[in-house]
Amino acid sequence: MPRPTILAYYFPDWHHDPRNAEWFGQGWDEWSLLESAGSRFQGHRQPRTPLHGPFDEATPAAASAQIELARKYGVDGFLVDYYWYDDGPYLQRALDEGLLAAGNSRDIEFALMWANHELVDIFPHDHPGNAQATRLKNGSIDRESFEEMVRHIIPAYLSRPNYLTVEGRPWFTIYDLANFVVGMGGTTQAVEALTWFDDQVKQAGFPGIHLNAVLWKGDVLPTRAAPHAPIDLVRQLGFRSATSYVWVHHADLSHFSFPAAEIAPLRDSAFAEYEKYAAQLDIPFYPNVTVGWDPSPRTQQTEDFQRGRYPWTPVWDPTPKEFKEGLLQAKAFLDRHGSPHPFVTINAWNEWTEGSALLPDTFHRHGFLEAIKDVFGTSDYKPKKKEIGSALS
């Protein structure tokens, strides 16, 4: 088995965004939530403090430092959470003005993970008994908006030399398949939209698009368009691979202790689901390894910390050694199931307000990054040259 490509999800809400300013006030970003987070129970490790303090990710200097750190410790690429609603992009400055403007941008691969979920006001969420958070944007965009997104991302991102490809096909992850189908108007229309997407990518000089599906077992977010897509929908829509976003998507959180829970049972629950996916799918399933889980910074800090819907969930705060156990389990999973192009996804590079960050903090320092390097080593990645078709000239 060749060394797998290690992809870390990148959450881009650590810069000033005009929509955030309108909703939450001028100058707001999620650093505000992180810095105001407090310890909610005995032994609770909050607030989390980045080793080098907060930074504006929408600057080339900050992005350059992150890219250098990732490459040093064996993270080969970022799966950037990409938001596009009915009126266009959101949080795009981290990618456009940060990661892609860095002098060493080509030193790392990247791909888009279309985060097409409902955008709800959990910044912070007011009370555990309030199940319905205020909806800010609908994740179920229509065909017209989808086509507008595709026409933007092909020249802006997919055409770049360091955009992640599998057998020449640009990788594109869809987070919420049910939301996508609802927005397109049904399964038949969703298939037609993705076929059109594939054709557009071919016209740009590629052999087609590599669609990657996020699968999960249970709901986490406060609102959802419909139950998550079953395995047969993945087949119908023509996906070429599947993965997971985070371990809590594969467990009934009510079965775990509160407020603090042990990581091993959560990890085992996720990998049990991964085995089912591998048995049912006729495409590769790539395992996810989760750093931790603590969305308490997104709860109203003046309220008692109680069990409820997201973000009022149990907290998992594993050590780097426990994280390494997950990496070893992912490696064994890939060795068992085989794949000509093995990948491991990591949640996450910088989900600070969900308690899942590879980036060093003042407590564990570089421990999580060192675990990746210990298990998988590093690769000698060099960006591929791509022949861009006439559609982009």
Side-chain angles (χ1 to χ4, degrees), residues 19 23 82-90 114-119 135-149 183-184:
R19 292 185 195 249
W23 290 324
Y82 189 71
Y83 299 84
W84 187 285
Y85 295 106
D86 58 342
D87 53 357
Y90 168 56
W114 182 24
N116 63 325
H117 56 75
E118 311 301 287
L119 182 62
R135 177 187 289 179
L136 300 171
K137 295 299 295 183
N138 187 348
S140 300
I141 66 172
D142 61 17
R143 176 67 182 266
E144 182 180 358
S145 298
F146 176 72
E147 290 190 6
E148 185 178 357
M149 178 185 71
M184 294 304 104

Side-chain angles (χ1 to χ4, degrees), residues 31 34-35 47-55 352 359-363:
W31 292 121
L34 188 67
E35 291 167 354
R48 307 284 177 90
T49 305
L51 183 60
H52 301 295
F55 55 88
W352 291 102
L359 281 172
D361 64 17
T362 55
F363 188 79

Side-chain angles (χ1 to χ4, degrees), residues 176-196:
D176 195 322
L177 302 192
N179 244 3
F180 175 68
V181 171
V182 169
M184 294 304 104
T187 303
T188 299
Q189 295 90 333
V191 171
E192 292 172 352
L194 292 178
T195 300
W196 175 85

Side-chain angles (χ1 to χ4, degrees), residues 6-87:
I6 309 301
L7 303 175
Y9 291 111
Y10 185 105
F11 176 61
D13 203 9
W14 311 102
H15 66 281
H16 295 169
D17 179 272
R19 292 185 195 249
N20 284 343
E22 179 182 349
W23 290 324
F24 311 122
Q26 194 65 37
W28 186 94
D29 56 29
E30 290 217 36
W31 292 121
S32 304
L33 292 181
L34 188 67
E35 291 167 354
S36 62
S39 179
R40 312 302 294 280
F41 54 87
Q42 186 174 3
H44 189 202
R45 193 167 63 89
Q46 288 289 356
R48 307 284 177 90
T49 305
L51 183 60
H52 301 295
F55 55 88
D56 181 356
E57 64 182 344
T59 61
S64 178
Q66 292 187 89
I67 291 168
E68 183 177 354
L69 192 66
R71 295 296 303 154
K72 179 179 179 181
Y73 286 97
V75 175
D76 304 296
F78 293 136
L79 289 177
V80 180
D81 293 0
Y82 189 71
Y83 299 84
W84 187 285
Y85 295 106
D86 58 342
D87 53 357

Side-chain angles (χ1 to χ4, degrees), residues 113-134:
M113 196 285 297
W114 182 24
N116 63 325
H117 56 75
E118 311 301 287
L119 182 62
V120 294
D121 188 356
I122 49 173
F123 308 106
H125 190 275
D126 53 2
H127 190 275
N130 182 4
Q132 296 300 320
T134 301

